[in-house]
Amino acid sequence: MAHPISAFQAAYISIEVLIALVSVPGNILVIWAVKMNQALRDATFCFIVSLAVADVAVGALVIPLAIIINIGPQTEFYTCLMVACPVLILTESSILALLAIAVDRYLRVKIPVRYKSMVTPRRAAVAIACCWIVSFLVGLTPMFGWNNLNKMRRTQELNSSHTEFVITCQFETVISMEYMVYFNFFVWVLPPLLLMLFIYLEVFNLIRKQLNKKVSSSSNDPQKYYGKELKIAKSLALVLFLFALSWLPLHVLNCITLFCPSCQTPHILTYIAIFLTHGNSAMNPIVYAFRIKKFRTAFLQIWNQYFCCKTNKNTTSTTTAETGN
């Protein structure tokens, strides 16, 4: 029988639901904007759509599963493992999408003339597919055996490898902290983040060199091109910075848990770190709206075409009908 939800859990659930209610519509709006606006059809925005899909899934799938885990239902081990793995898949998908975006921006400023012939829609689609395949392999690694099953069997003195037993479903109960730190963080989170930092530094360096070079040029086209690239690169670097800011605290706490088992981490810090990771999914549409003009224009177009003007039309139709009567 499930134990009653405490006031603290109720507050946690309320915040998670609020994050989901912001994240899901916001990222659907991003996908919608790219679909309806021809100016948002290049490779960069395709990778942004992949990132938005992952963020929608965080709000629609991961947050509900996180709420379930927080309540701590009694389940079989692999059932709990299946509930815990989606967040690992979607985190890795977001990181690889951000890496693809960074590489794309680098190519745009490094080889602007040959960029369109090299980064074709087909190649972008293949890159996105590869990112998702790798994400599933990394995120489902615990399902393949790198988990806490054997540790729990030893704890509960169950000798048969085929024996099923019921556990209280918690993330740390089923997911190995060695996997989270050595494999997930040290291999698939930290190195890509450091690589992206290096790429964006190089992008800004290349753009500034070009802008300085073109100051005395009689043509304004290169100046305009690199000026636009600088603005977009700054916006996407901000997205990367917010991602790192949101996810690193939780990984640092995981490192403390693994390397200092006797250290007592306050539960409130863990919850704040979890809120940051989930809240990151709601941040990106806000960044796009305020920092990228093409997105802002597309968002306003959607609002005027499907919401604002539609309401006005309905009001006008109603008024006309009443006048006719």
Side-chain angles (χ1 to χ4, degrees), residues 14 74 83 86 119 128 135 150 179 194 223 284 287 299 315:
S14 299
Q74 298 293 309
V83 172
V119 185
I128 290 170
S135 300
N150 290 333
Y179 160 82
L194 294 174
Q223 190 85 2
N284 294 342
V287 173
F299 291 162
T315 305

Side-chain angles (χ1 to χ4, degrees), residues 253-264:
L253 290 178
N254 288 339
C255 290
I256 293 171
T257 301
L258 178 64
F259 298 128
C260 183
S262 60
C263 297
Q264 293 296 321

Side-chain angles (χ1 to χ4, degrees), residues 196-243:
M196 282 184 268
L197 174 63
F198 173 78
I199 290 172
Y200 274 112
L201 289 175
E202 186 64 19
V203 166
F204 291 134
N205 184 43
L206 287 170
I207 290 174
R208 288 200 168 88
K209 280 183 181 178
Q210 292 297 329
L211 288 174
N212 292 335
K213 189 187 300 182
K214 301 299 179 182
V215 168
S216 60
S217 175
S218 59
S219 172
N220 289 325
D221 287 339
Q223 190 85 2
K224 185 178 178 182
Y225 176 81
Y226 285 105
K228 184 181 72 173
E229 285 300 316
L230 180 60
K231 287 180 181 177
I232 295 178
K234 283 181 178 178
S235 301
L236 296 173
L238 177 59
V239 170
L240 171 62
F241 172 75
L242 290 173
F243 182 89

